[in-house]
Amino acid sequence: MPEIAHKGYRPTIWEELAGAPHPSLSFQSSFWHSVAPAGPAAQRLAGEARTEIAVVGGGFLGLSAALHLAEAGRTVTLLEADEAGFGASGRNTGFVVPNLLTSVDLDDVRGEFGAEKADLLLRMLGESGELVFDLIRRHGIDCWAKQTGWMQPIHSPVKRDWLEERVRRWQDLGRPVKLLSREEAVAETGSEAYHGAFLDPTGGHLNPLAFVRGLAAAAVKAGVTLFIDSRAKEIGRHGAEWRLKTDHGTLVADKVLLATNGTGGGLAPRAEGTQFPITLFQVATQQLDPDLRKSVLPNDRCSADTRKELIAYRWTDDNRIVTGGLLGNPLGSTDRGRSYHLRRLEALLPQLPELRADFAWQGRIAVARNYMPRLMRLGDGAFSAIACNGRGIAMTTALGRKLALWLDGGSNEDLPLPVTDPDPVLFPKLAPLAFSLWLPFSRRQDARDLRSS
Ligand SMILES: Cc1cc2nc3c(=O)[nH]c(=O)nc-3n(C[C@H](O)[C@H](O)[C@H](O)COP(=O)(O)OP(=O)(O)OC[C@H]3O[C@@H](n4cnc5c(N)ncnc54)[C@H](O)[C@@H]3O)c2cc1C
């Protein structure tokens, strides 16, 4: 049987109820897993090892931080519980999105972090698509990367003001984003359902597992020691050192960065408890007639709309469409989950034939109360960063680089985030249920928006 979740990680009853990863929807069952080149060879930590900086978690965040630290000349060791990309980084839709979630506007960032940090964060985010594609070019990563643009079409005319404001605000920051008219949005997406769109030409899409494995290979080449199958189970301070214990060894470090995306399995429970875990469902269709590419996303952009329960879709190089979202059924019926997302896409794009899920898998995201990235202090020289919030490829890769510059001796002023203490949600054990409860309300809001069209 394929692995269900992260090794050594047991979903709680609440996560089960909220649709914890199902055995048949594993890392190995993903489409990306079937086509991504292998990651770099690595071993498990055994005995005691010493390093200057320990990074825990081999997703985009941990690997980007480790790579940039090694490039700055630091001695870095990365502990990964399974293999690089085993978490959300290897299982996502592959959209490179240099933007915030729909429900977060630029003023929210200023309200949360203050004007100076917000400006740094927004600048970092705006440039994050360019960073991702530059890294891919610089390290020669073979990951089907297409910098063809990320689109966010509006599903109802009631979002028109929001769209105009969003475009204007990013343009004011100097970003080359565009507003697409209804006609342009219909032509670009292939769907008559849309009324306009946000376009960021610096975004795009890629094979996420191939990208994260490529980052791992680049990190190893730059000098990072990568240990896989090495879940950190305890972290403790002993004199001036930090000690991270796995089942088979101990890593001793001067500084530690946890990048476990809230799936640390209790390694830093207060930091993990600041996040709401959400399980997302992904499907890749059968291979479709390449002629359909002339009417569906003809410029090979990717599209994720403004519904609260958004519809996102993109092509793969071998003419499949990848889509997905929240579980159709919180109790985890895999068949319903599969067909739910395909039927939504067929309704949006009637030119498509009946779709079949040749591949189906699940992944876990972590979302903060305010949908903002977090950098939390665990002790002197130890930090936990979580920046997923469902739009993480560009954000986490860019933040990993910023954290590397900071851990390399950069100043707090240059950090795009404040360093805070972990403040877990009130009942962290119930957090996995939050989004299942939220889903019916979101669907009602989406339906209201559509009725007012
Ligand atoms: C289905 C799905 C679709 C998505 N689609 C998109 C998209 O299209 N675009 C986008 O930008 N974002 C998307 N996201 C979000 C994006 O994937 C994440 O934001 C991003 O991958 C987070 O990266 P990360 O490095 O923080 O975490 P992860 O990739 O989750 O990495 C954390 C790593 O830490 C390891 N780990 C955990 N605990 C320990 C421990 N104790 N010891 C050692 N290792 C440990 C895990 O095994 C894992 O490999 C999606 C997510 C999902 C699940």
Side-chain angles (χ1 to χ4, degrees):
M1 180 178 294
E3 285 166 47
I4 300 176
H6 306 274
K7 262 186 211 132
Y9 178 81
R10 292 276 164 274
T12 62
I13 179 73
W14 305 109
E15 286 170 312
E16 294 284 6
L17 282 173
H22 186 275
S24 68
L25 299 168
S26 65
F27 175 62
Q28 290 83 354
S29 72
S30 95
F31 170 66
W32 310 122
H33 191 267
S34 76
V35 289
Q43 294 185 343
R44 163 201 278 179
L45 172 67
E48 189 166 300
R50 221 201 168 286
T51 190
E52 204 177 345
I53 302 175
V55 177
V56 180
F60 301 130
L61 183 58
L63 284 164
S64 171
L67 167 65
H68 288 101
L69 277 165
E71 285 181 340
R74 297 289 173 160
T75 310
V76 188
T77 301
L78 190 145
L79 293 182
E80 163 54 47
D82 288 85
E83 62 174 275
F86 188 86
S89 298
R91 306 177 190 224
N92 59 65
T93 328
F95 287 26
V96 179
V97 183
N99 213 312
L100 301 158
L101 289 175
T102 313
S103 53
V104 182
D105 67 38
L106 279 60
D107 288 337
D108 293 333
V109 185
R110 297 206 164 90
E112 289 290 336
F113 296 149
E116 274 175 32
K117 291 273 177 240
D119 286 350
L120 289 174
L121 184 67
L122 293 171
R123 192 171 331 136
M124 180 193 87
L125 187 57
E127 292 167 0
S128 59
E130 282 143 359
L131 174 75
V132 166
F133 290 103
D134 280 352
L135 275 174
I136 290 168
R137 278 187 290 269
R138 186 153 65 86
H139 295 285
I141 300 175
D142 172 16
C143 62
W144 292 0
K146 310 271 175 345
Q147 197 170 15
T148 44
W150 168 74
M151 281 186 300
Q152 189 174 33
I154 53 172
H155 64 287
S156 160
V158 297
K159 299 295 286 183
R160 185 88 205 166
D161 290 348
W162 172 90
L163 174 62
E164 283 172 6
E165 177 69 3
R166 187 85 148 196
V167 170
R168 191 182 60 74
R169 297 296 295 272
W170 280 105
Q171 285 177 342
D172 287 349
L173 292 174
R175 300 304 307 162
V177 305
K178 286 189 191 139
L179 191 153
L180 302 185
S181 67
R182 173 175 160 77
E183 292 67 35
E184 288 168 323
V186 169
E188 284 282 358
T189 59
S191 176
E192 291 284 341
Y194 291 129
H195 299 267
F198 182 100
L199 169 66
D200 188 329
T202 68
H205 58 89
L206 43 71
N207 170 339
L209 182 58
F211 174 46
V212 72
R213 284 179 172 170
L215 272 184
V220 168
K221 202 166 162 198
V224 172
T225 304
L226 169 65
F227 288 114
I228 56 169
D229 199 9
S230 302
R231 172 170 286 277
K233 291 196 159 166
E234 267 180 58
I235 175 171
R237 180 97 171 144
H238 297 262
E241 296 172 339
W242 287 95
R243 297 177 81 81
L244 287 153
K245 286 199 178 151
T246 69
D247 278 342
H248 301 275
T250 301
L251 180 63
V252 183
D254 302 333
K255 289 184 184 172
V256 175
L257 175 66
L258 303 188
T260 61
N261 191 18
T263 61
L267 181 64
R270 287 183 61 77
E272 289 165 27
T274 59
Q275 307 289 308
F276 292 90
I278 308 172
T279 302
L280 294 183
F281 204 102
Q282 295 282 282
V283 286
T285 66
Q286 74 270 34
Q287 286 181 291
L288 298 169
D289 179 351
D291 264 4
L292 285 164
R293 297 184 81 128
K294 292 181 189 149
S295 73
V296 176
L297 304 173
N299 291 313
D300 204 5
R301 306 191 200 278
C302 53
S303 173
D305 70 20
T306 46
R307 285 173 171 83
K308 283 190 179 299
E309 190 194 8
L310 61 83
I311 302 184
Y313 59 105
R314 54 158 289 183
W315 286 105
T316 63
D317 274 17
D318 64 349
N319 300 320
R320 301 172 195 276
I321 293 182
V322 177
T323 186
L326 291 161
L327 267 180
N329 173 352
L331 290 177
S333 153
T334 58
D335 287 342
R336 271 193 59 192
R338 270 187 180 88
S339 63
Y340 178 72
H341 295 293
L342 294 181
R343 301 298 84 84
R344 288 183 93 199
L345 203 60
E346 286 168 5
L348 189 80
L349 300 162
Q351 64 271 52
L352 292 178
E354 190 177 340
L355 298 174
R356 203 178 62 226
D358 271 8
F359 295 84
W361 66 100
Q362 287 177 327
R364 180 77 55 88
I365 59 173
V367 175
R369 273 165 291 202
N370 56 3
Y371 304 110
M372 301 285 170
R374 295 285 309 259
L375 176 58
M376 293 169 273
R377 188 185 307 98
L378 305 176
D380 193 12
F383 304 92
S384 170
I386 305 180
C388 178
N389 294 305
R391 286 220 173 129
I393 296 180
M395 167 72 96
T396 53
T397 306
L399 185 62
R401 179 173 165 273
K402 287 282 181 199
L403 293 178
L405 298 176
W406 177 62
L407 289 169
D408 185 39
S411 78
N412 275 12
E413 281 77 62
D414 294 335
L415 262 183
L417 293 176
V419 188
T420 55
D421 291 325
D423 53 345
V425 298
L426 203 50
F427 299 108
K429 287 205 160 75
L430 295 181
L433 284 180
F435 275 79
S436 296
L437 299 174
W438 167 89
L439 193 54
F441 297 103
S442 308
R443 287 182 177 152
R444 201 160 308 154
Q445 177 66 52
D446 290 342
R448 254 201 305 269
D449 287 351
L450 289 172
R451 274 199 302 275
S452 35
S453 297

